[in-house]
Amino acid sequence: MKKSKEILSGMAFNIIGAIILLLVLFGAVVSTTGFLSFTNAFQREYATSTYHMADTATTLINGDHLDAYLSGEYPEEYERTRSYLDAYCTRMNVSLIYVIQVDRSDYGRFVSIFNLVDNTVDDSAYTEWELGYKRDTTNSEYRRKYQAMYEQTAPFETVYRNRTTDGQHPHITTMVPVKNSAGETAAILCMQRPIRELNDARRPYLINIAAWTIGLCLLVGLFAGYHIRRQYVAPIQRVSDEAVRFAKENTRGEPLGTISKLNEIKNLARSIDTMETDMVTYIENLTAVTAEKERIGAELSLASTIQENSIPNDFPAFPKRSDFDIYASMTPAKEVGGDFYNFFLIDDDHLAIVIGDVSGKGIPAALFMMVTNILISDRTHMGGTPGEILTFVNQNICEHNKAGMFVTLWLGVIELSTGKVLAANAGHEDAALCRKNGSFELFKTKHGFVAGGMPGIRYKDFELQLAPGDKLFLYTDGVPEATDAENRMFGMDRTIEALNANKERTPEEILNGVHASVNAFVGAAPQFDDLTMLCIELKERS
């Protein structure tokens, strides 16, 4: 209970915190936007007013006598003009007024004609330039603006210096042309004005915005905290407490009913009530189903054990025999499968080997497999060729096959003294044969119809001659038809490759190698079909 309250209190804190954060972000955006708009408007107004002041100052200058001033002519007029400009600089409260002639070849140099300084305006430390003082243009920005003045493409130009590196204070420099009587630009008048008024005006603006933002955040936070706790947190806390209680006890509790006016929370509470009822019913049903499933599981485990014991699975199968080596394995796709193999000595010189694949999976296929295996084993001991045995098995299956199941079979009888194999195939996969010092290849034969598919079928025998060192590999279609996650089959080519990669090894090692190759190909994809293999190697008689 305590934990759920802490979680919900944290939820309320997070919601309120998110609202306040949004308000802060909103205030920051508004402040920044307003700050930039205010700054731009102030700078435009400041530049315009400075332009008018500078333009007025040009009326005090005789543009036709500038070159004469530089030559030392009209000294009285020059001094009178200089005194007017000096008085104007003090009256207008600007730091500098200077008039320059710029080298129009590249606008990279200029010569000073007038230079008036008032360091008291901005606590500056400027020194006056003498008449004729020459200097390089400060930078490319000034060159462009000087050129604009001389070419009269703009009525005035302004340079902003909000950050300075030479000990000067932030300022603007406004440039206006000084024209002669012909209307040509004879020089440029520059007026430098401090912009501390801009900083002084922006500071209270930012303080006001910050104060309003903080106040609004506090008010909204208090209101949101009260409203959210009442309308959201308290009802959700009841829902959370009930969910925690039910998770621990798994018993029905008091219905939550209508705990909020909000449809979402009412629906959530109603869903919790419904969930508790359904869950309790489900648990009761699940208990019964689990008991039944455990019983079925035990029966399947027993069926799997019975099936495993119905085929030879102890190896070496014939420890006293050195003239052949045989190994087989079966991996069902489910608890029990429909594949099977078998091998047994009919007499001291004849070994029967059989492998089969029943249609379908699970218990029905396993039962069908066991019946088929018993029929083959019993009939083989009675004598006859593999074709006669499969004919008998097919007839018996068809007479008692109301389920319509069938099985593919490969049955062979090996005469161990000569290596002669007499075999028959009822719709099964072709065997793979590896001669001594050779490679595995498919031994293709004509297939008969599947056993159990149609009564009256007669199966034909075929012969195969084995020599010492030869290996015979039998398998079900679960090997080549093993499928990976991309629905690609393992295929016969990969099967033969896996066999040949292990051809020099024992039958057991060959089967393990093929199985490893199939597993590596399939990966995490589920096993779709039973996977059964058998391999026998004929050896020299001792």
Side-chain angles (χ1 to χ4, degrees), residues 471-534:
K471 299 182 181 73
L472 185 66
F473 176 77
L474 304 175
Y475 57 96
T476 60
D477 59 6
V479 177
E481 293 181 2
T483 306
D484 66 3
E486 297 179 1
N487 213 27
R488 297 177 302 176
M489 288 188 179
F490 188 66
M492 280 309 306
D493 289 342
R494 291 189 179 90
T495 302
I496 296 298
E497 288 177 8
L499 286 169
N500 286 323
N502 300 275
K503 63 183 180 180
E504 302 297 336
R505 300 183 178 181
T506 65
E508 179 180 359
E509 292 171 337
I510 290 175
L511 265 59
N512 291 336
V514 174
H515 206 289
S517 296
V518 172
N519 287 340
F521 174 79
V522 170
Q527 183 179 341
F528 177 76
D529 199 0
D530 303 334
L531 197 147
T532 304
M533 297 177 286
L534 182 149

Side-chain angles (χ1 to χ4, degrees), residues 19-20 67 76 90 92 115 146 216 225 306 375 388 436 505 521:
I19 294 174
I20 293 177
D67 291 332
E76 294 181 1
T90 303
M92 293 294 103
N115 186 257
Y146 290 160
L216 183 61
I306 294 173
L375 285 172
E388 293 171 345
K436 184 179 180 180
R505 300 183 178 181
F521 174 79

Side-chain angles (χ1 to χ4, degrees), residues 45-51 53 92-96 121-122 170-174 191-197:
E45 188 278 330
Y46 216 62
T48 302
S49 62
T50 306
Y51 158 66
M53 292 164 57
M92 293 294 103
N93 204 31
V94 297
S95 300
L96 291 173
V121 174
D122 197 28
H171 60 271
I172 65 170
T173 300
T174 298
M191 181 177 288
Q192 183 172 304
R193 186 180 181 187
I195 56 173
R196 64 174 181 272
E197 291 93 341

Side-chain angles (χ1 to χ4, degrees), residues 16 45 73 127 176 186 199 233 272 319 323 336 360 366 374 476-477 485 495:
I16 296 171
E45 188 278 330
E73 301 178 25
T127 57
V176 294
N199 297 328
V233 176
I272 290 292
D323 52 343
V336 290
I374 292 171
T476 60
D477 59 6
T495 302

Side-chain angles (χ1 to χ4, degrees), residues 54 60 70 82 114 128 159 180 239 258 331 396 448 474 503 542:
L60 302 175
L70 290 172
R82 188 178 182 283
F114 293 102
E128 293 185 2
V159 177
N180 56 25
V239 173
T258 303
T331 306
N396 276 267
L474 304 175
K503 63 183 180 180
S542 58

Side-chain angles (χ1 to χ4, degrees), residues 242-477:
E242 178 59 23
V244 171
R245 183 207 65 78
F246 181 75
K248 291 180 178 179
E249 301 175 6
N250 288 328
T251 58
R252 291 187 181 92
E254 291 294 327
L256 293 172
T258 303
I259 61 174
S260 174
K261 296 180 180 179
L262 299 172
N263 289 332
E264 293 80 4
I265 298 180
K266 282 194 298 184
N267 292 336
L268 178 61
R270 191 179 300 113
S271 297
I272 290 292
D273 291 337
T274 303
M275 181 196 70
E276 288 186 0
T277 301
D278 294 344
M279 189 66 73
V280 169
T281 303
Y282 174 76
I283 291 173
E284 292 172 352
N285 294 336
L286 183 61
T287 302
V289 170
T290 301
E292 179 66 15
K293 186 175 181 180
E294 289 177 353
R295 182 186 65 80
I296 295 174
E299 292 180 355
L300 283 174
S301 178
L302 179 60
S304 177
T305 302
I306 294 173
Q307 183 184 35
E308 183 179 352
N309 292 332
S310 68
I311 58 177
N313 50 35
D314 291 330
F315 297 96
F318 304 99
K320 296 181 180 181
R321 300 294 296 257
S322 60
D323 52 343
F324 68 92
D325 185 12
I326 190 167
Y327 190 81
S329 68
M330 183 178 72
T331 306
K334 295 186 177 181
E335 290 84 353
V336 290
D339 282 6
F340 74 96
Y341 66 84
N342 201 354
F343 52 83
F344 49 88
L345 284 168
I346 303 173
D347 54 43
D348 190 57
D349 194 36
H350 291 85
L351 175 70
I353 57 174
V354 62
I355 191 166
D357 185 0
V358 178
S359 62
K361 298 178 183 63
I363 291 179
L367 292 173
F368 196 86
M369 158 269 202
M370 294 177 70
V371 170
T372 304
N373 193 14
I374 292 171
L375 285 172
I376 292 174
S377 179
D378 290 346
R379 180 64 181 82
T380 302
H381 281 95
M382 293 170 61
T385 67
E388 293 171 345
I389 295 169
L390 292 186
T391 300
F392 170 82
V393 171
N394 174 69
Q395 193 63 31
N396 276 267
I397 292 175
C398 289
E399 290 176 358
H400 307 88
N401 190 18
K402 294 182 179 180
M405 300 183 73
F406 60 87
V407 58
T408 65
L409 294 167
W410 195 101
L411 173 63
V413 176
I414 305 175
E415 189 175 54
L416 298 172
S417 59
T418 63
K420 178 181 177 182
V421 181
L422 193 62
N425 190 326
H428 198 75
E429 305 289 330
D430 286 315
L433 176 63
C434 179
R435 299 295 184 183
K436 184 179 180 180
N437 299 325
S439 299
F440 274 99
E441 295 179 356
L442 288 180
F443 184 79
K444 297 185 178 181
T445 59
K446 187 175 181 180
H447 297 187
F449 198 58
V450 295
M454 183 183 300
I457 299 294
R458 291 189 176 275
Y459 296 90
K460 295 182 180 181
D461 297 313
F462 60 88
E463 291 186 4
L464 168 65
Q465 184 64 46
L466 295 180
D470 293 350
K471 299 182 181 73
L472 185 66
F473 176 77
L474 304 175
Y475 57 96
T476 60
D477 59 6

